[in-house]
Amino acid sequence: MATDLVFYRASIPLTSRQQIVNLLRKSDPFQLPYSFQPCQPIELLALVKQMDEQWQRTGELE
């Protein structure tokens, strides 16, 4: 069985409200690992492939 992994790094935009920034300093959920097993893996794989194609086409995030 093949396994596909998606790695990402979340960040808060500089324009975020100070209240959100303060909450993240106390408990940063972006530092926790997360995984799941989708019920519809074929549909998810198609979406991930579309994301990768878009990522490869653009030089920077838009």
Side-chain angles (χ1 to χ4, degrees):
M1 176 183 220
T3 300
D4 293 314
L5 301 173
V6 176
F7 294 98
Y8 67 94
R9 180 176 302 255
S11 63
I12 300 296
L14 294 175
T15 57
S16 293
R17 292 177 39 196
Q18 189 61 40
Q19 182 180 10
I20 293 172
V21 173
N22 291 340
L23 285 172
L24 288 174
R25 285 185 183 142
K26 293 178 184 175
S27 171
D28 189 354
F30 298 139
Q31 298 302 317
L32 299 174
Y34 177 80
S35 68
F36 73 100
Q37 186 170 0
C39 296
Q40 304 288 332
I42 300 299
E43 291 178 26
L44 182 60
L45 180 60
L47 291 172
V48 169
K49 286 183 178 184
Q50 287 177 6
M51 287 171 56
D52 183 54
E53 289 170 5
Q54 284 291 91
W55 183 270
Q56 299 300 323
R57 270 188 254 167
T58 59
E60 298 179 15
L61 294 178
E62 297 180 8

